[in-house]
């Protein structure tokens, strides 16, 4: 079968993805200078070693789709990536997932120690809000709107709440509803916020925001299932995380079926309203399906 991504349109899609990745990585690199002490080194280790930059790319793209310049959403996109990386550092700590590696490298606390890993995460969170609050490219009410939206996405009914449910889950008490709940809060809420914030920075109208929010939520849930499929493939070892792995509860076939369904609903959501070029937003759903990412 021929992939919908073959040919020049696919090359253009990858070029644009790579360009956005670079834009975000360069901005993050400038924000945290090298050689400025152990805490800064740990922060740089968390932020700059690798990463697909998926959430900030989505934020920039949603802004452009809504008629704004990607530059208008760049501070927000960088803030969202700082927050994302902070959650990974804390997730890997011995008190949480107790992970030894992340993306094939030693987890941050194994290189810099637990204290600096905690502080690097704390500092990333604070710098993220500082950067977002100092956005001057858009009217002030869009900035306060973004801060409010992000706080909702990260709090007790978002990443922190989802992670709490996740770490407290025991084998045997994870129902399909509870699993969807954990995935929605711990993963999809940041995807949704990244996209909605980008759209609002670009001046999207209410129906565009609603459609993109739906796309973000569906894509985020799909992404977590795709990540779970990858984890199930990569490791034979039983880790604490496995209790809330979609594959554990629904099997590989069940996971793939749900993944396909969520991604096709995500594409329908963006196609349901008028907006800019949706090729990149639609194309990202294919990458989630194929799990073929470049972190360069
Ligand atoms: C922010 C208040 C606050 C609390 C944080 C630690 C925590 C609470 C939440 C962790 C949630 C978590 C680890 C979700 C997993 C999401 C996920 C699938 C991450 C992998 O994302 P990728 O593949 O990462 O985009 P890269 O390495 O590409 O950046």
């Amino acid at each position: 079968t021929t992939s919908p991504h073959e040919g020049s349109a696919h090359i253009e899609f990858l070029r644009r993805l790579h360009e956005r990745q670079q834009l975000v990585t360069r901005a993050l690199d400038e924000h945290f200078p090298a050689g400025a002490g152990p805490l800064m080194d740990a922060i740089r280790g968390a932020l700059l070693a690798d990463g697909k930059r998926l959430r900030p790319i989505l934020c920039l793209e949603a802004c452009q789709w809504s008629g704004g310049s990607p530059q208008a959403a760049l501070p927000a996109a960088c803030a969202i990536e700082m927050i994302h990386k902070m959650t990974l550092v804390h997730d890997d700590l011995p008190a949480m997932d107790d992970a030894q590696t992340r993306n094939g490298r030693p987890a941050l606390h194994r290189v810099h120690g637990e204290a600096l890993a905690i502080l690097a995460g704390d500092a990333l969170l604070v710098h993220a809000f500082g950067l977002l609050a100092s956005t001057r490219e858009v009217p002030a009410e869009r900035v306060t709107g973004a801060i409010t939206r992000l706080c909702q996405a990260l709090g007790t009914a978002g990443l922190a709440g989802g992670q709490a449910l996740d770490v407290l889950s025991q084998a045997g008490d994870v129902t399909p509803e509870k699993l969807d709940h954990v995935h929605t809060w711990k993963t999809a809420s940041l995807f949704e916020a990244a996209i909605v914030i980008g759209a609002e920075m670009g001046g999207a109208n209410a129906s565009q925001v609603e459609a993109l929010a739906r796309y973000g939520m569906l894509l985020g849930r799909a992404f977590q299932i795709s990540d779970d499929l990858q984890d199930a493939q990569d490791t034979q070892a039983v880790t604490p995380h496995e209790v809330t792995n979609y594959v554990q509860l629904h099997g590989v076939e069940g996971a793939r079926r749900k993944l396909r369904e969520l991604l096709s609903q995500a594409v329908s959501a963006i196609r349901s309203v008028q907006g800019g070029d949706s090729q990149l937003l639609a194309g990202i759903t294919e990458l989630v399906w194929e799990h073929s990412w470049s972190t360069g």
Side-chain angles (χ1 to χ4, degrees):
T1 57
T2 313
S3 157
H5 279 156
E6 270 175 20
S8 63
H10 186 48
I11 291 167
E12 170 55 22
F13 164 77
L14 292 176
R15 193 198 58 75
R16 197 147 136 201
L17 206 59
H18 187 67
E19 186 185 279
R20 293 276 151 92
Q21 266 177 349
Q22 302 286 88
L23 181 69
V24 171
T25 300
R26 269 199 308 273
L28 292 172
D29 187 36
E30 279 167 22
H31 201 79
F32 296 103
L39 180 58
M40 202 66 106
D41 286 348
I43 290 173
R44 287 179 60 86
L47 206 52
L48 297 164
D50 53 44
K52 300 181 281 293
R53 314 285 184 223
L54 178 55
R55 296 153 192 81
I57 289 172
L58 289 166
C59 180
L60 296 175
E61 198 60 27
C63 182
Q64 186 163 15
W65 181 88
S66 309
S69 131
Q71 285 299 329
L74 188 58
C78 289
I80 286 161
E81 183 68 2
M82 289 179 198
I83 293 167
H84 162 63
K85 289 301 195 185
M86 166 275 165
T87 72
L88 299 185
V89 170
H90 282 193
D91 185 48
D92 289 342
L93 287 168
M96 297 219 196
D97 255 12
D98 196 12
Q100 301 301 301
T101 60
R102 161 83 50 192
N103 292 342
R105 300 170 209 268
L108 199 79
H109 65 270
R110 291 191 53 223
V111 179
H112 296 272
E114 269 185 66
L116 275 191
I118 293 169
L119 290 168
D122 293 344
L124 276 169
L125 189 56
V126 173
H127 279 262
F129 279 99
L131 176 61
L132 186 53
S134 64
T135 304
R136 294 288 172 267
E137 287 83 351
V138 296
E141 59 270 20
R142 290 191 196 165
V143 178
T144 47
I147 292 171
T148 308
R149 173 89 54 181
L150 208 43
C151 288
Q152 283 162 354
L154 301 180
T156 49
L159 267 77
Q163 179 77 350
L165 277 178
D166 193 344
V167 298
L168 297 173
S169 293
Q170 306 278 340
D173 71 16
V174 181
T175 60
E177 293 72 29
K178 185 170 170 186
L179 186 63
D180 287 346
H181 189 165
V182 170
H183 282 192
T184 299
W185 278 6
K186 82 163 187 180
T187 306
S189 51
L190 191 55
F191 275 77
E192 184 190 28
I195 291 160
V196 168
I197 288 169
E200 287 178 341
M201 291 292 180
N205 64 36
S207 56
Q208 288 177 320
V209 169
E210 198 186 315
L212 282 190
R214 200 170 137 66
Y215 163 86
M217 179 51 70
L218 291 159
L219 185 73
R221 289 173 59 202
F223 184 77
Q224 184 61 62
I225 293 177
S226 155
D227 197 66
D228 285 358
L229 274 160
Q230 194 74 10
D231 273 357
Q233 215 172 53
D234 284 353
T235 52
Q236 301 301 320
V238 177
T239 65
H241 203 69
E242 265 203 1
V243 196
T244 52
N245 185 307
Y246 200 91
V247 177
Q248 188 78 7
L249 204 66
H250 296 280
V252 171
E253 275 316 305
R256 291 179 70 82
R257 204 174 321 116
K258 188 68 185 177
L259 180 57
R260 216 354 145 203
E261 181 192 315
L262 291 169
L263 291 173
S264 102
Q265 289 171 343
V267 173
S268 307
I270 8 168
R271 302 254 153 92
S272 70
V273 279
Q274 289 254 302
D277 175 9
S278 60
Q279 204 166 10
L280 195 133
L281 294 173
I284 281 178
T285 66
E286 282 301 320
L287 287 189
V288 172
W289 173 248
E290 292 161 5
H291 210 101
S292 57
W293 300 99
S294 145
T295 55

